[in-house]
Amino acid sequence: MKNQFGKSFMAWLVCLAAFAPVSWCQNTAGKTKDKPATPEEVQKAIQKGVDFLLSIQKPEGNWEPAPLEWDKTGIGFLTGPTGAAIYALLECGVDVKDPKIVKALDWLVKNQDKESKTYSVGLRCNAWFIANKLTKNAYRKNLEKDVNMCVVTG
């Protein structure tokens, strides 16, 4: 379990880096507070995060589930990591028609009803929202379903 958690943990760190690239570039490029990262350095950091996330995608289209020690199912967060990865990748500019994104979204659709943990549902909502926006409502029903689940269980 520790190895699986390590992979998931790294994926989350990369997601965070994708949303805070200037800070990340400053810390990794040896920049001082007086010299912010250049746009090229920011883009390079984002691309590095995108490449890493895509490299750990499973052949089925998903990302490693995040295990939970208290979860008696042994599954943990099944769909949350995939929702977060899709959201991060789309926000970083990966095309919604990219075969890896299509495969990930298809996997998320097929597995939407397999988990109702609020954390994962919320992450799926983020993925549905951006994918829906980029596809002119192709994921509206999925988004509505998960939003309703959040309202009912919240």
Side-chain angles (χ1 to χ4, degrees), residues 60-98:
E60 299 81 18
N62 65 310
W63 278 262
E64 188 75 36
L68 299 171
E69 293 192 20
W70 54 264
D71 184 18
K72 294 185 185 343
T73 67
I75 297 172
F77 293 114
L78 177 67
T79 59
T82 298
I86 292 168
Y87 179 72
L89 291 166
L90 291 176
E91 285 290 350
C92 288
V94 177
D95 192 327
V96 73
K97 294 177 185 172
D98 181 289

Side-chain angles (χ1 to χ4, degrees), residues 14-94:
V14 172
C15 287
L16 288 174
F19 294 113
V22 172
S23 174
W24 190 80
C25 280
Q26 288 175 337
N27 291 335
T28 60
K31 298 284 183 180
T32 66
K33 291 182 182 180
D34 297 332
K35 294 184 180 181
T38 66
E40 294 79 20
E41 289 170 326
V42 170
Q43 192 55 46
K44 186 177 178 182
I46 290 170
Q47 190 58 51
K48 188 175 181 179
V50 166
D51 292 344
F52 175 76
L53 278 177
L54 291 174
S55 76
I56 62 170
Q57 185 179 16
K58 301 293 181 189
E60 299 81 18
N62 65 310
W63 278 262
E64 188 75 36
L68 299 171
E69 293 192 20
W70 54 264
D71 184 18
K72 294 185 185 343
T73 67
I75 297 172
F77 293 114
L78 177 67
T79 59
T82 298
I86 292 168
Y87 179 72
L89 291 166
L90 291 176
E91 285 290 350
C92 288
V94 177

